[in-house]
Amino acid sequence: MNILHCDMDAFYASIEQRDHPELIGRPVIVGGLPGSRGVVSTCSYEAREYGVCSAMPSKQAYHLCPQAVFIPPHIEKYIRVSQEVFAILHRYSPVIEALSIDEAFLDVSGCHRLFGSSAQIAKLIKNDVLEETGLFISVGIAANKFLAKLATNLSKPNGLMELSNDQLIEILPSLPVSEIWGIGGKTAQRLNKAGIYTAADLLEFPRVKLESLLGSNTDFYIQLCSGQDSRPVLSRSDRKSIGNEITFPIDLSDQKEIEQLLLDLSCQVAYRLRHASLIAHTVTIKMRTPNFQTFTRSQTLQQGVDADLTIYDIALNLYHKSGLTGKHLRLLGLSCSRLLERNLEQPALFADENDILDKIIDDMKDKFGSSAIKRGSLLHNKSRNR
Ligand SMILES: [Mg+2]
C-alpha cells in the first residue's frame, strides 16, 4: 500500500475559521455571497449538516442555512497556505501529483527506509500540517490512486485510513456509481436509469450495453469497479494541462469585457506555465452558456508557447471564430495542454520585448503576489469599459 491521497478538510472555510476564531463551530460558507449568482466554493462541516455543499448556488445555500456566515474567497491567502502544505508533503516523497490547491497523491514506495510504513508517513504528514498550519488534513492509503482517494473520502474529516483488502471486499461492491472517481452526475443518472446503482451492478452488466453508456471509458470504469487502477502518480512535470476559469456573477455578453477576461486568464495561465518551466502546444478556451451548454475550441501549435500575449492572441482568435461572440456566457475558461519542460525545447528566453516584459511581471508577482501587478492594457481597457 504505497499510494497516499492527502486532502485538506474544508480547506478555505477552515482557514477562515482559523484566522477568525469567532467563526469556530459556526456554519461558514466561502464563495459567492447569497445575493449573487455565485456558488459555494467550500463550506465548513457545520454548514454541511444543513445540506450545503461545494458548487451549490449560494442562493440555495442561503435558503438551507440562512444563519451561515458567508465570506468571499481570499485566494492569495489560500495559495500561501497551500504552498506551506505542499512543502510539508515534499518532505516525505519526491513523487507528488497535485490534484488541486489542497489535494495531492504521493507515491511513497521509496520512502519507507527514511520514514517508516505508509501509515507512519501519513501520521507524520498529519502532525506536521496541524502543527505548522493549524489545519486538518485527511490521508487515505491504498494500493492505487482510486482506492486511496476513496479511503480519504471514507475517513474525512481529520481522517487516516489504510484500505485493506478485507475492507475493500466489504465496501467496493455496494459503492454507489456516483462515488466512482470520474463518473459525474449526468453519467451516474444514465447508469441509474439502466438499473446500475453500485459498482457490483456495473460489473454484472453486459459489457456491450455498458459501452453504449460509458463509451471509450468502459474498460477504465470496469477496472475501477473491481478496485484496479494502473495510473501512476505523476509529478509536476508530467502534468497534462494548466488552466483557469471564471464563473461570472452575472451572465456576460459584452464582447470587449469577455476579451478583457480572456487577457486576464491568458496572463494567469501563462504565468503558471512559466513558473512550472513548461511550454504548451495546445491552447483551449471553454465557454458555457446560461443553459449550461459547454463549448470548447482548441488550437494546436508547432512552436510551444508560454507568453502572455501569444496565448492571448490564440485565445482571442478562437473566441472570434467560436460562433459565440455576442452570446451570453456564464463561464469562461482557458487551458494549455500538451506540455513540455521548457528546457527540452529550444530556449526562447528574451526573444522579444514581450518576453522581457513577462519576465519583469513574473518577478514582481513572485515578490509581491499575483494581484500586485497586471498588464497595463488590462487595467487600461477595464477602466475604458466602465
Ligand atoms: Mg479538500
Side-chain angles (χ1 to χ4, degrees), residues 6-11 42 48 100 102-103 156:
C6 305
D7 188 8
M8 298 294 287
D9 296 337
F11 188 49
T42 320
R48 291 178 197 197
S100 72
D102 74 320
E103 200 183 340
K156 268 176 168 293

Side-chain angles (χ1 to χ4, degrees), residues 7-36:
D7 188 8
M8 298 294 287
D9 296 337
F11 188 49
Y12 300 169
S14 303
I15 294 174
E16 297 299 343
Q17 286 178 317
R18 176 195 74 177
D19 295 350
H20 305 279
E22 70 275 14
L23 297 177
I24 293 171
R26 296 182 61 186
V28 172
I29 294 174
V30 178
L33 299 177
S36 75

Side-chain angles (χ1 to χ4, degrees), residues 141 154 161-173:
I141 307 165
L154 292 170
M161 184 187 209
E162 183 159 7
L163 200 56
S164 69
N165 277 334
D166 288 348
Q167 279 170 305
L168 192 61
I169 292 163
E170 203 174 300
I171 294 165
L172 194 56

Side-chain angles (χ1 to χ4, degrees), residues 26 254 380:
R26 296 182 61 186
D254 185 278
H380 169 73

